[in-house]
């Protein structure tokens, strides 16, 4: 558009990438991978100001999809980890990252093993050319 001003909402770094974007009525939810760990960024849909993003990335799979992007800020939140089964919750995007813990549990797959004494962690290896490669 002639005379329009553009602004980057996300700028990748050598260790980060934009994995996906979801929209609700008043929020943009950016899923960022940081050393292959996920982090959600909640932005105001009009001003693009941060509205409560996760401070640190987490070892998990996560996806967000709006229930009704035109009329609601509700979104479906699906998470899974190496030690926990996939879970589906209903969240409110206006609560930002604080709302992740308050999201309403809807359904989960059954657990197939006892993970109470287990821990998932990330390490790094260095390739022959000096590139650092994260792994779990």
């Amino acid at each position: 558009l002639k005379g329009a001003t553009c602004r980057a909402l996300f700028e990748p770094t050598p260790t980060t990438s934009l994995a996906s974007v979801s929209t609700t009525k008043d929020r943009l939810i950016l899923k960022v991978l940081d050393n292959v760990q996920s982090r959600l960024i909640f932005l105001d849909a009009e001003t693009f100001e941060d509205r409560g993003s996760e401070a640190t990335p987490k070892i998990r799979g996560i996806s967000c999809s709006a229930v009704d992007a035109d009329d609601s800020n509700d979104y479906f939140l699906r998470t899974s980890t190496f030690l926990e089964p996939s879970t589906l919750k209903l969240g409110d995007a206006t609560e930002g990252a604080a709302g992740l813990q308050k999201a309403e549990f809807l359904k989960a797959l059954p657990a197939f093993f006892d993970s109470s004494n287990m821990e998932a962690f990330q390490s790094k290896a260095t390739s022959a050319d000096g590139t650092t490669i994260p792994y779990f």
Side-chain angles (χ1 to χ4, degrees):
L1 299 172
K2 189 174 184 177
T5 303
C6 294
R7 176 179 158 198
L9 300 182
F10 173 79
E11 293 186 28
T13 69
T15 62
T16 63
S17 63
L18 180 63
S20 66
V21 176
S22 299
T23 59
T24 68
K25 181 181 175 192
D26 299 307
R27 295 291 182 265
L28 300 175
I29 307 171
L30 283 58
K31 175 185 168 186
V32 173
L33 294 180
D34 187 348
N35 277 317
V36 297
Q37 294 185 29
S38 62
R39 183 168 76 93
L40 295 180
I41 298 173
F42 293 84
L43 301 176
D44 185 285
E46 289 188 24
T47 65
F48 306 118
E49 293 177 10
D50 190 312
R51 293 293 186 228
S53 300
E54 288 184 293
T56 57
K58 305 210 179 342
I59 299 174
R60 64 170 178 214
I62 191 165
S63 66
C64 302
S65 58
V67 172
D68 180 349
D70 294 328
D71 295 320
S72 171
N73 286 301
D74 291 341
Y75 66 98
F76 292 113
L77 173 68
R78 188 201 59 78
T79 59
S80 63
T81 71
F82 293 116
L83 303 175
E84 298 169 344
S86 293
T87 302
L88 179 65
K89 296 181 179 181
L90 181 64
D92 179 351
T94 61
E95 295 181 355
L100 294 172
Q101 296 301 319
K102 297 189 286 184
E104 177 187 348
F105 173 84
L106 299 176
K107 207 157 189 84
L109 291 174
F112 291 106
F113 59 92
D114 178 11
S115 64
S116 61
N117 292 325
M118 298 178 184
E119 177 185 3
F121 62 93
Q122 184 177 26
S123 290
K124 296 177 184 174
T126 304
S127 68
D129 69 356
T131 303
T132 300
I133 303 165
Y135 69 93
F136 301 102

